[in-house]
């Protein structure tokens, strides 16, 4: 369930603003509305946080030698900030050294065919009246240089001639007799020997920096701890500096003016937030203890009320998945945690669809449980439950690592569920029944959605609009059976001549008149939905709104069909996973005929089935989650626009 919230406001003296915020944080029950902090202190905290984050990232990128353990040292906050800035500075210096090496290396490569080049020697010659310039020209064009130009050929490598142009005067423009193909080589800033020395020094500097950074790994935990302190300080200062503030300049008009004069003109500050209804007494007690003025009322419909979910321990194990997906129902929406967990377990089991895969997942879940601390075992329990459900589905469908049924022990075949087991009923019958089961899941889950909507609107005529949507789902179910499963077995004949209609191989029988009943229910549902879906106090206005949006209304019927059909993805993805398992087994099977190939066969099986499990996990996220957060949620009218309840509270120290 979604806990009821109260919107609260507190007013304090501005002079006690920081003390009041500290006390409010200590209470730890108020989810504050977002405020915009300001001020130099907050800016300094944020700058420190940026530097610390960067330092932590730099240290995380440094890989330690195998089996090397670094003993962590503690730091004061001031020392931690100084260390973070030093690490960032070292990293920046290392980056500049790499840039210098790249720049100097490019210069050496450019001058590599010239041998040793020293600009100082050219300057010395120029001081004696001999100006020397470096040129390069294609070998076949060297002879075209004018005879009046004095040149000295240095070398010819790769059909390029390198030569020196000698002049008794400084050359500021390209000589007229110099061929267009000749390229003037720019003079380097320093000698090639100096470039090499600089590269060597830069590499030594990089080695020293890397050694220092490796040594600084001992401060990783201290920096992480300091980052948590900064997060708390930023949050605190944001609230303090972002509080609403106002100055009261009114003069007292009563005889008690002398008493009240001390507070006249006093600045006030205030905050607004939300408190769970059952925690409101804690908030009120804190207000009285700290002499805060406060107000509490029910939030308005347009207030950004946070959502706090409260469920039993079993249902709560779905929370890690919802946190991972970052989905939170709105305050005025439904809490579908229990239904989410129930159907997600089914979807997960069908997509993985293998009892052995399920056993591996159970082992992983138990391992997570073993490493989890008390109070944080929800993930381990969830993984274990998903593994057990997968094992159950694999047993029912006789799926064991994709091994063909004829190669399995007879006992495993006997315990499978005949309607879903290809080993007992044949692949065609089993696949058909699994398709029907997918559509049955759609019928059940979407019906649950509309029953919840009907209950929520039970005091309004909109109830009948929800009932209409429910009827359309029920009627459309049989249409899907006809169009997707088998038009012969599930005809849309209205004369009643087809006889009873069987589902799951005759285990469930529908009357011969069911096609007519289903279409009738579909039509009745459309009429009810058309009239009451937009009801807001007036039936006429509701009908008029439906007329205005007639295209959307008609498309809504199509959406009912597509939403039911969408559930077939469970069968299709499971079928693809089973095909991959069988293919991996077929590829690895021949390798077990020779002793030398056994190892390769085992590696192939581990890799192939491991990859298949990863693909199945991705499919669960894409398909299994989608059916809950999209198809199911759309029929509930949910947008997952909620904000998770996060009270302003002291951070727990690790």
């Amino acid at each position: 369930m979604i806990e009821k919230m109260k919107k609260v406001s507190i007013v304090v003296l501005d002079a006690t603003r920081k003390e009041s915020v500290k006390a409010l944080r200590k209470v730890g029950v108020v989810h504050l509305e977002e405020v915009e902090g300001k001020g130099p202190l907050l800016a300094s905290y944020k700058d420190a946080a940026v530097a610390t984050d960067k330092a932590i990232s730099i240290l995380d990128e440094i890989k330690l030698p195998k089996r090397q353990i670094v003993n962590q040292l503690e730091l004061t906050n001031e020392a931690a900030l100084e260390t973070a800035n030093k690490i960032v500075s070292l990293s920046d210096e290392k980056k500049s050294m790499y840039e210098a090496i790249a720049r100097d290396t490019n210069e050496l490569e450019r001058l590599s065919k010239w041998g040793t080049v020293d600009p100082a020697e050219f300057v010395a010659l120029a001081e004696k009246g001999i100006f020397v310039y470096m040129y390069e020209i294609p070998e076949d064009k060297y002879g075209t240089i004018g005879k009046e130009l004095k040149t000295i050929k240095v070398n010819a490598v790769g059909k390029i001639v390198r030569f020196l142009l000698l002049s008794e005067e400084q050359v500021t423009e390209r000589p007229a007799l110099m061929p267009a193909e000749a390229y003037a080589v720019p003079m380097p800033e320093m000698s090639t020997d100096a470039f090499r020395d600089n590269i060597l020094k830069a590499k030594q500097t990089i080695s020293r920096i890397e050694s220092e950074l490796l040594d600084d790994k001992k401060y990783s935990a201290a920096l992480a701890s300091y980052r948590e302190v900064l997060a708390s300080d930023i949050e605190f200062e944001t609230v303090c500096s972002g509080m609403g503030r106002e100055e009261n300049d009114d003069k007292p008009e009563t005889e008690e003016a002398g008493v009240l004069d001390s507070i006249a003109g006093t600045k006030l500050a205030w905050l607004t937030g939300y408190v769970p209804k059952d925690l409101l007494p804690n908030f009120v007690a804190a207000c009285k203890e700290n002499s805060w003025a406060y107000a509490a009322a029910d939030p308005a419909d347009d207030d950004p009320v946070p959502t706090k979910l409260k469920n039993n321990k079993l249902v709560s194990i779905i929370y890690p998945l919802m946190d991972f997906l970052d989905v939170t129902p709105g305050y005025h929406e439904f809490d579908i945690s229990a239904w989410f967990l129930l159907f997600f377990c089914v979807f997960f089991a069908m997509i993985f669809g293998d009892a052995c895969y399920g056993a591996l997942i159970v082992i992983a879940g138990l391992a997570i449980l073993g490493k989890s601390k008390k109070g944080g075992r929800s993930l381990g329990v969830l993984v274990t439950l998903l593994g057990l459900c997968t094992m159950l589905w694999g047993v029912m469908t006789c799926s064991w690592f994709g091994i063909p049924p004829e190669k399995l022990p007879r006992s495993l075949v006997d315990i499978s569920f005949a309607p879903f087991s290809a080993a007992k009923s044949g692949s065609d019958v089993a696949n058909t029944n699994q398709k029907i089961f997918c559509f049955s899941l759609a019928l059940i889950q979407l019906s649950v959605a509309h029953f919840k909507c009907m209950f929520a609107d039970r005091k309004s005529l909109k109830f009948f609009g929800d009932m209409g949507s429910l009827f359309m789902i029920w009627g459309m179910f049989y249409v899907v059976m006809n169009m997707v499963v088998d038009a012969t077995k599930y005809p849309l004949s209205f004369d009643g001549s087809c006889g009873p209609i069987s589902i799951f191989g005759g285990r469930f029988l529908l009357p011969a008149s069911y096609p007519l009943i289903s279409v009738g229910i579909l039509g009745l549902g459309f009429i009810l939905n058309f009239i009451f879906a937009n009801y807001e106090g007036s039936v006429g206005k509701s009908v008029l709104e439906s007329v205005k949006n007639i295209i959307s209304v008609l498309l809504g019927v199509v959406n009912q069909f597509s939403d039911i059909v969408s559930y077939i993805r469970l069968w299709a993805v499971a079928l693809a996973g089973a095909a991959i398992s069988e293919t991996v087994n077929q590829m690895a099977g021949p390798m077990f005929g020779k002793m030398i190939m056994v190892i390769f066969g085992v590696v192939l099986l581990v890799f192939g089935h491991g990859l298949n499990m990863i693909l199945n996990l991705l499919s669960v996220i894409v398909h299994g989650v989608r059916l809950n957060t999209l198809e199911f949620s759309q029929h509930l009218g949910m947008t997952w626009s909620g904000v998770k309840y996060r009270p302003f509270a002291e951070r727990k120290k690790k």
Side-chain angles (χ1 to χ4, degrees):
M1 58 173 280
I2 296 176
E3 289 197 41
K4 295 295 182 182
M5 291 279 177
K6 285 289 186 179
K7 184 176 183 179
V8 299
S9 298
I10 61 170
V11 181
V12 302
L13 296 177
D14 186 64
T16 65
R17 182 159 42 99
K18 288 201 172 184
E19 291 76 10
S20 299
V21 172
K22 287 181 181 179
L24 184 65
R25 182 170 65 176
K26 190 173 182 180
V27 178
V29 297
V30 182
H31 176 105
L32 296 175
E33 286 189 348
E34 187 175 353
V35 294
E36 184 176 350
K38 51 188 177 296
L41 183 57
L42 178 61
S44 67
Y45 286 151
K46 289 183 176 179
D47 290 342
V50 171
T52 306
D53 284 337
K54 191 171 182 180
I56 292 173
S57 177
I58 292 168
L59 294 182
D60 286 344
E61 291 176 358
I62 299 174
K63 303 302 180 184
L64 292 172
K66 289 184 178 180
R67 298 181 181 179
Q68 180 176 342
I69 299 175
V70 177
N71 295 323
Q72 296 296 305
L73 301 182
E74 295 183 356
L75 292 172
T76 62
N77 291 342
E78 293 76 11
L81 178 57
E82 184 179 346
T83 301
N85 288 328
K86 185 197 76 170
I87 291 171
V88 173
S89 177
L90 287 173
S91 178
D92 291 341
E93 184 182 0
K94 179 181 175 182
K95 182 179 179 181
S96 66
M97 289 297 101
Y98 275 118
E99 291 174 351
I101 290 174
R103 183 174 60 251
D104 293 347
T105 301
N106 287 337
E107 283 293 276
L108 285 177
E109 290 178 354
R110 181 173 70 86
L111 301 169
S112 61
K113 301 297 189 299
W114 285 90
T116 300
V117 178
D118 189 350
E121 295 178 354
F122 287 79
V123 172
L125 290 173
E127 291 175 351
K128 296 178 180 180
I130 302 174
F131 296 91
V132 182
Y133 303 93
M134 298 186 297
Y135 277 86
E136 293 180 355
I137 191 171
E139 189 174 15
D140 58 344
K141 297 293 182 180
Y142 181 66
T144 62
I145 298 175
K147 299 297 183 182
E148 293 80 358
L149 297 177
K150 297 179 181 180
T151 63
I152 298 177
K153 184 177 180 181
V154 177
N155 60 40
V157 180
K159 297 184 179 181
I160 298 294
V161 173
R162 290 158 192 84
F163 65 94
L164 299 175
L165 173 66
L166 299 148
S167 174
E168 296 178 355
E169 298 179 354
Q170 185 175 3
V171 178
T172 57
E173 297 181 358
R174 185 183 184 85
L177 299 177
M178 183 68 69
E181 293 81 2
Y183 166 69
V185 178
M187 187 65 61
E189 295 180 357
M190 62 187 75
S191 69
T192 51
D193 289 338
F195 280 128
R196 293 187 183 94
D197 289 341
N198 286 348
I199 291 174
L200 179 60
K201 291 178 181 178
K203 289 181 177 179
Q204 291 173 344
T205 301
I206 290 173
S207 179
R208 173 183 59 81
I209 291 174
E210 289 179 342
S211 178
E212 289 187 40
L213 291 176
L214 180 61
D215 184 61
D216 287 337
K217 287 282 284 186
K218 61 189 177 186
Y219 300 125
S220 295
L223 290 176
S225 178
Y226 176 56
R227 183 62 182 87
E228 292 182 0
V229 172
L230 284 173
S232 179
D233 290 343
I234 290 172
E235 182 183 42
F236 179 84
E237 188 59 29
T238 298
V239 174
C240 278
S241 60
M243 291 179 71
R245 301 167 69 184
E246 183 179 62
E247 185 173 354
N248 179 15
D249 293 326
D250 296 338
K251 297 297 182 181
E253 299 178 357
T254 65
E255 295 180 357
E256 292 82 5
V259 178
L260 296 177
D261 189 54
S262 62
I263 64 170
T266 298
K267 288 184 178 181
L268 301 177
W270 63 87
L271 278 171
T272 301
Y274 302 89
V275 178
K277 193 173 181 179
D278 60 343
L279 296 178
L280 188 61
N282 298 10
F283 169 76
V284 173
C287 291
K288 292 180 179 179
E289 180 182 349
N290 294 278
S291 301
W292 299 333
Y294 73 92
D298 291 330
D301 291 340
D302 57 348
D303 282 332
V305 189
T307 301
K308 182 183 180 185
L309 301 178
K310 184 177 181 180
N311 290 288
N312 58 48
K313 290 184 179 180
L314 175 60
V315 176
S316 298
I317 66 174
I318 196 64
Y319 291 167
L321 176 62
M322 297 178 70
D323 291 340
F324 171 75
L325 298 172
D326 194 21
V327 291
T328 303
Y331 179 70
H332 298 289
E333 295 181 344
F334 297 100
D335 175 19
I336 61 169
S337 301
W339 295 109
F340 196 117
L341 175 62
L342 173 62
F343 286 105
F344 182 73
C345 287
V346 177
F347 300 158
F348 187 98
M350 292 181 67
I351 289 174
F352 271 83
D354 190 284
C356 294
Y357 287 1
L360 294 176
I361 295 170
V362 169
I363 294 172
L366 294 176
I368 295 173
L369 269 176
K371 294 182 178 181
S372 301
K373 296 181 180 180
K374 187 176 180 181
R377 298 179 176 177
S378 295
L379 178 60
V381 176
L382 176 62
V383 173
T384 304
L385 177 61
L386 293 174
L388 292 173
C389 292
T390 304
M391 288 182 66
L392 177 60
W393 182 260
V395 170
M396 292 173 62
T397 57
C398 197
S399 299
W400 303 84
F401 269 141
I403 300 174
E406 58 271 14
K407 295 183 180 180
L408 290 171
R410 188 62 197 175
S411 58
L412 297 182
V413 176
D414 292 339
I415 62 174
S416 63
F417 183 56
F420 297 158
S421 173
K424 284 186 175 181
S425 304
S427 58
D428 291 340
V429 174
N431 286 335
T432 299
N433 288 336
Q434 289 183 31
K435 290 180 189 177
I436 296 173
F437 182 70
C438 291
F439 298 141
S440 300
L441 280 175
L443 179 67
I444 295 170
Q445 189 175 29
L446 300 183
S447 295
V448 168
H450 290 293
F451 275 124
K452 291 180 72 70
C453 291
M454 289 167 62
F455 183 80
D457 295 327
R458 62 190 181 280
K459 296 181 180 180
S460 168
L461 289 180
K462 196 172 182 179
F463 170 89
F464 294 103
D466 299 325
M467 181 184 288
S469 298
L470 177 66
F471 285 173
M472 282 197 287
I473 287 292
W474 288 356
M476 193 62 72
F477 171 76
Y478 187 79
V479 176
V480 170
M481 296 282 284
N482 171 267
M483 300 183 67
V484 180
V485 179
D486 194 323
T488 303
K489 291 183 178 180
Y490 310 103
L492 281 174
S493 173
F494 303 143
D495 56 9
S497 59
C498 59
I501 300 169
S502 65
I503 298 181
F504 295 127
R507 287 171 173 78
F508 299 96
L509 295 177
L510 299 176
S513 58
Y514 189 80
L516 179 61
I517 295 173
S518 64
V519 174
I521 291 176
L522 178 61
L524 176 60
F526 177 80
I527 294 172
L528 290 173
N529 186 264
F530 187 87
I531 297 174
F532 297 105
N534 303 298
Y535 180 79
E536 294 293 342
S538 171
V539 175
K541 290 182 179 179
S542 177
V543 174
L544 182 60
E545 192 66 26
S546 295
V547 172
K548 289 180 182 178
N549 300 287
I550 187 64
I551 301 298
S552 298
V553 173
L554 294 176
L555 288 176
V557 180
V558 179
N559 288 339
Q560 303 279 14
F561 176 86
S562 62
D563 286 346
I564 296 176
V565 172
S566 182
Y567 282 70
I568 202 172
R569 68 181 67 234
L570 299 170
W571 167 80
V573 173
L575 192 64
I580 293 175
S581 295
E582 293 177 6
T583 301
V584 171
N585 292 342
Q586 290 175 2
M587 293 173 62
M591 296 184 182
F592 288 90
K594 298 180 181 179
M595 183 62 66
I596 195 172
M597 298 296 290
V598 170
I599 296 177
F600 294 101
V602 172
V603 171
L604 178 58
L605 286 175
V606 172
F607 175 78
H609 286 288
L611 178 61
N612 193 26
M613 291 187 71
I614 293 174
L615 293 175
N616 285 338
L617 182 60
L618 294 175
S619 297
V620 167
I621 296 174
V622 174
H623 302 292
V625 170
R626 171 201 164 104
L627 293 175
N628 275 310
T629 58
L630 188 60
E631 276 81 0
F632 183 42
S633 299
Q634 280 184 344
H635 285 258
L636 285 164
M638 292 179 62
T639 59
W640 297 99
S641 58
V643 176
K644 190 174 181 179
Y645 169 71
R646 290 186 175 90
F648 180 58
E650 294 179 335
R651 295 174 181 265
K652 295 181 180 179
K653 294 183 179 180
K654 294 184 179 179

